[in-house]
Amino acid sequence: MTLEEIAKKMVAKGKGILAADESTGTMEKRLKSVNVDSTPENRLNFRETLFSSDAMKNYIGGVILFEETLKQKSSQGISIPELIMKSNSIPGIKVDKGAKTLAGSQDEKVTEGLDGLRDRLNEYYKLGARFTKWRAVYNISDKFPSSQAIKSNAHALARYAALAQEAKMVPIVEPEVLMDGQHDINKCYEVTTNVLNECYNELEIHKVFLKGTILKPNMILPGSNCKDKSNSKEIAKKTIECLKKNVPTDVTGIAFLSGGQSEQEATRNLNEINKLNDTNFLISFSYGRALQQSALKIWSKNMKDTKMVHSVFNHRAKMNGMSSKAEWSENLEKEFAA
Ligand code: 13P
């Protein structure tokens, strides 16, 4: 498949991406929150349970893995990438080495991982990965993000994306403007605009083939401690406007992160965004927490009850699949809860 074909398949109408690429540290936090020890076996067990669900065939076009999982074997003896491909879904891999303190602006982060990346990418391709992810994070405050943070992260994202394409894998470009803070929705719009502009300047300089990329942005939201809450219609209107103004039309797909929204908020907002989508972008989800939270809780109570975990995960994935086509409604949630 060409890069463009892979990108289109990852976010085909009705489908989106499962971000199961939590680093060992983040996974430890998630498992601790449900009183489960973070061992390689438990991490594999939870993930394999999700990857064996029916949702994979119907609603999940691609799965982002952490390196540990890419190299693990399922209980059936096949590799995890093979298990994912059995559902006609595409395996991918997070390739950055995490956000580290930015020298010269100690309260901000720059994502590392470019050294030796070419060799790692070739290894990941051999293990079955066909797309990759690199995440940059930006804080909003009176002073931040600085132009230093915006420029250094965009530069790294572009160098990463060029290397991923050289290795025949689709890069997911993820510049995440964090929700934390008291800022209002307009401030998020303004910062996201600056961040996206700098990213696409750098992607152009590094000759990245945009049709073979997926953008993974934040939605335009008020800060989590902002007094003025926004409704889904306002969020959708501002998000679509920001993307139309700042993302080149050649980009194939846009798959949002959930970033701390609840499961239903993330679904509702994606649905509203797709109702307004008059662009050529395939707009869908690439959720971590908003796809896995309920499933993780159920799994932690009885790891052997695969049927129950599948039913919860299938529902969440289906709801987001519907939102990617603007066909979700509150009633579908109520029916399932009943
Ligand atoms: P959330 O949807 O939980 O924000 O995770 C998405 C992700 O992959 C962050 O890099």
Side-chain angles (χ1 to χ4, degrees), residues 19 21 30 64 94 133 135 174 176 216 256-260 286-290:
D21 62 328
R30 303 269 189 271
I64 320 173
K94 181 232 294 289
K133 180 188 109 172
R135 172 175 178 253
E174 181 179 10
E176 174 174 5
K216 175 162 174 165
F256 292 102
L257 58 98
S258 60
S286 174
Y287 294 161
R289 283 161 287 180

Side-chain angles (χ1 to χ4, degrees), residues 301-319:
K301 290 198 184 109
N302 186 355
M303 294 183 191
K304 297 218 164 68
D305 194 351
T306 307
K307 222 169 136 187
M308 190 65 192
V309 181
H310 281 180
S311 128
V312 169
F313 181 64
N314 286 342
H315 170 71
R316 205 64 254 140
K318 180 175 176 184
M319 294 301 96

Side-chain angles (χ1 to χ4, degrees), residues 169-217:
M169 290 183 279
V170 166
I172 295 185
V173 173
E174 181 179 10
E176 174 174 5
V177 177
L178 296 167
M179 253 171 94
D180 309 334
Q182 297 181 346
H183 57 272
D184 65 11
I185 191 167
N186 295 321
K187 178 74 179 179
C188 177
Y189 184 107
E190 178 197 318
V191 170
T192 306
T193 295
N194 295 339
V195 163
L196 288 175
N197 269 311
E198 192 59 33
C199 283
Y200 285 106
N201 279 341
E202 286 288 335
L203 287 173
E204 191 184 345
I205 290 169
H206 288 84
K207 305 185 189 68
V208 175
F209 170 60
L210 295 181
K211 286 187 198 294
T213 66
I214 302 265
L215 172 67
K216 175 162 174 165

Side-chain angles (χ1 to χ4, degrees), residues 25 79 115 279 307:
S79 75
D115 286 358
T279 69
K307 222 169 136 187

